Amino acid sequence: MLQAGTWYRPGYYKRDNADKYQCINGEVTNVRNNVGLVDVSTLGALEIRGSDAAEFLNRIYAGGFTKQPVGKARYALLTNEAAVVIDDGVACRLSDEHYYVTATTGGVDRVYQSMLKWNAQWRLNIDIANVTSAYCAVNIAGPKARAVLTKVCDDIDLSGDEFPYMGIRSGHIAGIPARLIRVGFVGELGYEIHVPQHCGEALWDALMTAGSDHSIMPFGIEAQRIMRLEKGHVIVGQDTDAMSNINELQMGWAVNHKKPFFVGGRTLSELEKQPLSRVLVGFVIDTSDAPIPLESHLVLQGEEMVGRVTSCNYSPTLDKIIGLAYVPPGDAQAGSQLTIKSTGGVLVCATVAELPFFDPANQRQEL
C-alpha cells in the first residue's frame, strides 16, 4: 500500500513468488493486452448545480465549458492567479445546469475551497458540493473492457458510436446505479464507473466475476503511473511545482483563448510575451543497464545544472526507460541529447522524444 494524500492505495498486487517489479510489469502488460481494474475512489468529486454552472466552470478552468454538450466530458485544467497549474480533472455535463467534476486525490480540498472563495466574489447562481466521500469509483481499462462491461450492463449502449471517447452516461452496472465516463489515465479503451460509496465492494466483485473469462486482473497505482507515463500524461504535484505554468508544460491545447476571462488567464497572457526558461519534455534512455534516474535527479550541461527529472520508469510496453524532465528550451526538440546525473553520480545519456511515447494517434482509447 502507498500513501496518496490522506488515503492509502494499492501500489501493486502481490502474486505467487514474483518480486515487486515483476508484479507491476505484469499488471501493465495485462492491461495493454487484456483488461484491468483499478480503484480510483480517492479521486475528488464535486457537484456544481445551478443556472450559472457552465459560466462558473468557464471562469474557474482554463478550457471552454459554456458550449459543452450534455453527455460529454472535458478535460479541466486549473490554474491560480499566477497562472501556476494547481489541479486537473474532468468536467462532466449531466444536464444544462448540473456538472460532475473530478479533481486530484490530494488537491480536491484546495479546489473546493478555491471554488467557494471565487464564487463568494462572483455571486453566481450555483451550489457547490464536495461529494468525494459519497462516491467510489473504478477504472476498467484494456482492449477487452467493453466485452466485460457488456456482461453486467444492459441499459447503456456501450458501442463506440453511441458512447464515444469523453462521453458520459448514466445507467446500472450489475443493478447498481452508476455514472460511466469514457475516459482514463492509461491510454486504453476504458471507463470510469462512479457509484454510491456503499456499493463499491459489490461493483468490484461483479466486474471481477464478469471479467474472469477475459483475464481480468486488478492493478495498482504503480502500474497506472507507468502507463500514464507511456502516454505522457502529467501528474499535478509530481511533474509540476510551485512555478509550473501551462506553457512550460506544453499544455496550451487545454486553454480556450477565445473566452474573455479565467483565473490566471491575464497572467498567462503576460507570460506568453516572455521567453520560456524551461520546458517539460519526454526522454528515452536506450541503454538497458543504465541506472533509472529518480525524481529530482539533475539534467546537466557540463557541470551546470540546467533541469531536473520529474518522472522516470522502465516501460514494459516499450522495453525502454522513459521519463519526463524540465530542460532549457534549446534542448526541447526531439532528438536533442541530455545528460542526467543518476544514482551514485552515474551520468546517463538520454534522448528527447516526442510525446506520447505510446500510441501517439490515440487509437486504442478511442476504439
Side-chain angles (χ1 to χ4, degrees), residues 68-259:
Q68 180 179 349
V70 172
K72 293 289 288 185
R74 283 188 179 171
Y75 180 68
L77 188 64
L78 184 66
T79 61
N80 63 15
E81 298 95 316
V84 172
V85 173
I86 58 174
D87 206 82
D88 68 346
V90 293
C92 308
R93 195 166 197 173
L94 303 179
S95 71
D96 287 341
E97 299 184 1
H98 183 192
Y99 281 83
Y100 180 67
V101 183
T102 64
T104 60
T105 295
V108 61
D109 291 336
R110 178 175 64 245
V111 174
Y112 179 53
Q113 292 165 5
S114 179
M115 286 182 169
L116 293 176
K117 179 196 79 170
W118 281 108
N119 202 48
Q121 299 180 43
W122 297 336
R123 301 191 177 189
L124 296 175
N125 182 30
I126 58 166
D127 176 75
I128 308 167
N130 185 345
V131 296
T132 302
S133 298
Y135 288 91
C136 63
V138 298
N139 177 217
I140 183 169
K144 299 179 182 178
R146 184 181 288 120
V148 174
L149 270 186
T150 300
K151 290 186 174 185
V152 289
C153 179
D154 59 8
D155 58 357
I156 299 175
D157 187 339
L158 299 172
S159 67
D161 291 336
E162 292 299 320
F163 193 173
Y165 182 63
M166 296 302 283
I168 178 168
R169 301 290 185 268
S170 296
H172 295 79
I173 303 295
I176 301 168
R179 292 171 178 169
L180 276 67
I181 313 169
R182 258 209 68 181
V183 70
F185 205 35
V186 301
E188 294 290 338
L189 169 65
Y191 304 82
E192 273 188 18
I193 307 171
H194 296 244
V195 303
Q197 185 272 339
H198 65 280
C199 298
E201 187 175 0
L203 173 69
W204 183 276
D205 291 345
L207 291 172
M208 289 299 293
T209 299
S212 60
D213 294 336
H214 297 283
S215 302
I216 194 169
M217 287 170 49
F219 64 100
I221 59 173
E222 295 279 17
Q224 184 188 47
R225 287 174 177 173
I226 290 175
M227 288 184 280
R228 71 88 198 176
L229 181 57
E230 292 172 344
K231 290 298 294 179
H233 293 316
V234 167
I235 296 179
V236 176
Q238 176 172 322
D239 301 305
T240 68
D241 56 35
M243 298 295 289
S244 301
N245 66 61
I246 291 172
N247 295 331
E248 292 176 336
L249 300 175
Q250 302 193 70
M251 295 182 69
W253 53 266
V255 180
N256 184 329
H257 292 281
K258 296 181 180 179
K259 63 182 183 180

